[in-house]
């Protein structure tokens, strides 16, 4: 039996009729960029996140990059960022001209450890960019408290956390602004690239609207040096269909995660996810840890079960950041996590029977 890590086709087949009808309407509309579908999605997603503004952009990296640009964060500025994250979080800072300043995670949650942030703040620090990794919210109250004391902006990287809650509040509403990705593998995924910014700051939203469209509100009248980063009409239309299913799909992920945790907790040397009482994750990924990760991964493969590593190379050890001269041991907690994490099959269309099979294989692995 073959168990895939993620079946993207399944979610499309569930809503095939609605997607087909949406595509037909899109073709017949004759309007394919910055139109009514995008406007409607922006209103609906803003409401979903309980914020005033949503601005659709080209992808999740652009969302974070444009937030930083709109905040006038750039050359000679520093931004606090998790050491343990996907490199896109760092790239957004670098593309804005600023410097990422890594901070080690909490080893239990994998998210940035607020207690480590203050020591990394300098006179050049302008913002804290927190990541809700794997779909679990970071400790935003603690982060915001530090930001208030040092007069810093707070940005959420919510690329993996559509619908997650922190103390009852949706991510995307917990800082000055948030960046979302709608890459197809996300909990709310388009059928191509896409992203969005959410915020309650009207002035910031207005500037991001300008930045995403060449710095222009009216064609050929360019107020600032902008970019071309717009969530297109077709993807917005598809996302509207999927948004209506998101909570149901996330609830299924939660059921699967609870089953995994129940069945895997007592396996020797296997670490299952830890969830603080204030967090309601959406389980974009279900990530376990084991000191013999590669042996475990190979065992699953032999048994026909796909698994992935998120992420094998921390940003500070990537070739992209060699100029910083960080070597092995610079961020030991992050490095240890990268050597031990393994993502198990998880999606809203995996059955309980399939998850049971995965758990049984793991129980017999060691």
């Amino acid at each position: 039996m073959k168990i895939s890590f993620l079946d993207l086709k399944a979610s499309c087949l569930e809503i095939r009729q609605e997607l087909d009808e949406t595509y037909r309407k899109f073709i017949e509309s004759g309007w394919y960029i910055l139109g009514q579908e995008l406007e409607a999605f922006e209103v609906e997603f803003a409401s979903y996140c309980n914020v005033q503004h949503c601005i659709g952009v080209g992808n999740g990296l652009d969302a974070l990059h444009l937030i930083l640009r709109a905040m006038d964060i750039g050359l000679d500025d520093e931004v606090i960022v998790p050491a343990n994250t996907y490199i896109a979080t760092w790239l957004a800072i670098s593309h804005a001209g600023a410097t990422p300043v890594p901070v080690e995670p909490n080893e239990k949650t994998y998210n940035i450890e607020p207690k480590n942030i203050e020591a990394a703040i300098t006179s050049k620090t302008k913002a804290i960019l927190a990541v809700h990794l794997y779909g679990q919210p970071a400790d935003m109250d603690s982060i915001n408290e530090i930001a208030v004391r040092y007069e810093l902006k707070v940005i959420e990287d919510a690329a993996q956390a559509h619908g997650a809650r922190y103390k009852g509040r949706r991510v995307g509403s917990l800082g000055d602004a948030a960046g979302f990705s709608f890459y197809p593998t996300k909990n709310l995924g388009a059928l191509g690239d896409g992203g969005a910014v959410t915020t309650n700051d009207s002035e910031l939203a207005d500037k991001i609207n300008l930045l995403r469209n060449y710095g222009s509100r009216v064609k050929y009248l360019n107020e600032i040096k902008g970019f071309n980063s717009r969530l297109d009409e077709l993807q917005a239309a598809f996302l509207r269909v999927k948004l209506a299913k998101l909570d149901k799909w996330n609830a299924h992920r939660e059921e699967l995660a609870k089953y995994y945790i129940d069945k895997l907790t007592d396996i020797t040397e296997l670490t299952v996810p830890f969830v603080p009482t204030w967090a309601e994750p959406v389980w974009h990924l279900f990530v376990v840890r084991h000191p013999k990760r590669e042996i475990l991964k190979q065992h699953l493969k032999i048994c026909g079960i796909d698994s992935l590593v998120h992420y094998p190379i921390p940003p500070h050890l990537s070739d992209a950041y060699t100029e910083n001269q960080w070597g092995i041991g610079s961020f030991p907690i992050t490095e240890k996590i990268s050597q031990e994490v393994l993502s198990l099959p998880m999606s809203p269309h995996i059955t309980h029977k399939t998850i049971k099979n995965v758990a049984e294989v793991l129980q017999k692995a060691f």
Side-chain angles (χ1 to χ4, degrees):
M1 179 183 61
K2 173 70 172 177
I3 298 176
S4 299
F5 181 78
L6 177 63
D7 183 0
L8 290 176
K9 186 187 295 185
S11 63
C12 290
L13 290 177
E14 178 186 332
I15 54 176
R16 175 67 181 270
Q17 186 174 346
E18 293 168 90
L19 294 177
D20 285 346
E21 178 63 16
T22 296
Y23 179 72
R24 184 189 66 76
K25 289 180 179 179
F26 164 77
I27 289 293
E28 292 177 355
S29 73
W31 194 287
Y32 307 130
I33 296 289
L34 296 180
Q36 292 181 354
E37 290 293 342
L38 177 57
E39 290 178 5
F41 173 73
E42 289 173 336
V43 169
E44 291 163 6
F45 194 63
S47 176
Y48 181 82
C49 295
N50 195 29
V51 294
Q52 295 178 27
H53 306 283
C54 169
I55 307 97
V57 298
N59 53 67
L61 173 56
D62 282 359
L64 296 175
H65 175 221
L66 295 182
I67 290 169
L68 291 161
R69 291 277 186 174
M71 290 177 172
D72 297 320
I73 294 173
L75 194 64
D76 294 327
D77 294 332
E78 294 177 350
V79 178
I80 303 293
V81 68
N84 184 50
T85 186
Y86 183 53
I87 197 170
T89 317
W90 287 38
L91 291 175
I93 299 167
S94 298
H95 291 328
T99 300
V101 177
V103 167
E104 287 272 55
N106 178 300
E107 195 169 355
K108 293 176 71 175
T109 67
Y110 310 134
N111 281 322
I112 193 168
E113 172 55 68
K115 293 177 183 177
N116 296 335
I117 290 175
E118 200 159 1
I121 295 173
T122 72
S123 60
K124 294 183 178 182
T125 306
K126 294 297 186 292
I128 303 169
L129 205 173
V131 180
H132 305 308
L133 197 64
Y134 307 148
Q136 176 158 294
D139 185 359
M140 294 304 296
D141 281 356
S142 297
I143 292 167
N144 281 312
E145 188 274 329
I146 295 168
V148 168
R149 279 194 284 120
Y150 287 90
E151 298 182 340
L152 305 176
K153 296 291 187 181
V154 174
I155 304 165
E156 300 172 74
D157 181 341
Q160 302 181 1
H162 314 74
R165 295 180 188 270
Y166 172 81
K167 298 183 179 179
R169 295 170 286 158
R170 297 269 197 202
V171 303
S173 66
L174 306 173
D176 293 288
F180 285 87
S181 167
F182 302 127
Y183 187 73
T185 61
K186 306 302 185 186
N187 291 41
L188 180 60
L191 274 66
D193 265 324
V197 173
T198 58
T199 183
N200 284 312
D201 186 331
S202 297
E203 184 177 344
L204 187 73
D206 183 60
K207 193 165 184 181
I208 292 170
N209 264 304
L210 279 173
L211 285 167
R212 74 170 175 180
N213 189 43
Y214 304 106
S216 174
R217 300 173 215 268
V218 179
K219 195 170 185 178
Y220 303 128
L221 296 180
N222 302 87
E223 301 174 34
I224 58 176
K225 297 180 181 72
F227 302 87
N228 176 14
S229 180
R230 302 167 301 206
L231 178 61
D232 72 60
E233 280 288 286
L234 181 59
Q235 298 305 335
F238 286 154
L239 286 166
R240 292 183 67 198
V241 176
K242 287 190 164 189
L243 182 59
K245 308 288 184 180
L246 180 58
D247 284 345
K248 184 187 84 168
W249 289 346
N250 281 345
H252 184 71
R253 288 175 182 266
E254 183 179 7
E255 290 176 7
L256 300 181
K258 286 180 178 178
Y259 183 87
Y260 265 145
I261 291 171
D262 181 58
K263 298 301 179 182
L264 303 181
T265 295
D266 295 330
I267 297 177
T268 303
E269 294 189 286
L270 189 76
T271 302
V272 299
F274 169 78
V275 181
T277 56
W278 40 255
E280 295 177 48
V282 290
W283 302 103
H284 171 61
L285 297 171
F286 188 90
V287 180
V288 296
R289 287 174 62 188
H290 198 284
K292 299 178 181 177
R293 190 260 311 283
E294 294 306 318
I295 295 175
L296 184 58
K297 191 175 191 301
Q298 185 61 26
H299 177 73
L300 289 170
K301 183 178 180 181
I302 291 170
C303 295
I305 299 170
D306 287 343
S307 61
L308 295 174
V309 176
H310 297 90
Y311 300 97
I313 302 175
H316 73 276
L317 295 180
S318 69
D319 290 344
Y321 285 94
T322 53
E323 74 273 13
N324 296 94
Q325 299 184 328
W326 286 306
I328 293 174
S330 298
F331 298 96
I333 297 174
T334 294
E335 291 164 29
K336 182 182 179 183
I337 289 170
S338 73
Q339 294 162 7
E340 296 182 353
V341 290
L342 187 66
S343 300
L344 303 179
M346 170 61 74
S347 87
H349 296 88
I350 292 179
T351 65
H352 287 86
K353 181 179 179 181
T354 299
I355 294 297
K356 180 181 178 183
N357 291 336
V358 175
E360 288 174 351
V361 168
L362 286 166
Q363 288 167 342
K364 297 173 184 177
F366 292 99

